[in-house]
Amino acid sequence: QVQLTESGGGLVQAGGSLTLSCVASGRTFSNHGMGWFRQAPEKEREFVAGVSGSGGIASHANSVKGRFSIIRDNAQDTVYLEMNSLKPEDTAVYYCAQGINYYVTRSASEYDYWGQGIQVTVSS
């Protein structure tokens, strides 16, 4: 049974930083791409960042490019989302997801396991 457990969310002022962590278990971590998505109130879930199984290829949404970085540690079965220069519009529930295969993808349908979500609130 695959489990994804997120941590590191919370309340931060605009311009601040947070790092989200997601620990995976249940199948070989390095065989699967990982992604972060987010959903703000009354908005659809959107792709934030993704990384390939080896960590060698990453993709970031235009809205976070240059501010957020996705990093994975295959020795620890963990993927991180480093968030800097946070803005109030980054406020959302953030979800970690594990891909159905090795590759990076922005499509939510290409991820078959999801974490429970963690709140990130950025105050102005």
Side-chain angles (χ1 to χ4, degrees):
Q1 180 73 13
V2 173
Q3 288 191 322
L4 302 176
T5 304
E6 299 121 333
S7 61
L11 174 64
V12 64
Q13 288 189 330
S17 300
L18 279 176
T19 296
L20 304 183
S21 302
C22 173
V23 180
S25 62
R27 59 187 183 183
T28 304
F29 185 68
S30 59
N31 285 352
H32 298 272
M34 297 295 296
W36 288 96
F37 289 75
R38 68 186 181 186
Q39 187 166 18
E42 301 181 358
K43 291 190 176 181
E44 293 190 355
R45 190 172 298 190
E46 64 174 356
F47 171 81
V48 176
V51 64
S52 63
S54 69
I57 298 174
S59 177
H60 297 81
N62 288 339
S63 60
V64 306
K65 200 168 292 184
R67 300 188 298 121
F68 291 13
S69 293
I70 186 169
I71 302 167
R72 67 186 296 158
D73 182 346
N74 286 348
Q76 300 294 327
D77 291 355
T78 302
V79 63
Y80 303 94
L81 184 67
E82 296 183 346
M83 305 185 292
N84 299 306
S85 302
L86 282 159
K87 304 176 182 180
E89 51 263 44
D90 295 318
T91 294
V93 176
Y94 284 71
Y95 296 90
C96 169
Q98 190 168 69
I100 61 174
N101 59 36
Y102 177 89
Y103 302 102
V104 177
T105 177
R106 295 183 172 219
S107 173
S109 64
E110 298 291 318
Y111 293 86
D112 55 353
Y113 287 97
W114 294 79
Q116 78 283 0
I118 192 163
Q119 179 70 44
V120 171
T121 303
V122 184
S123 63
S124 57

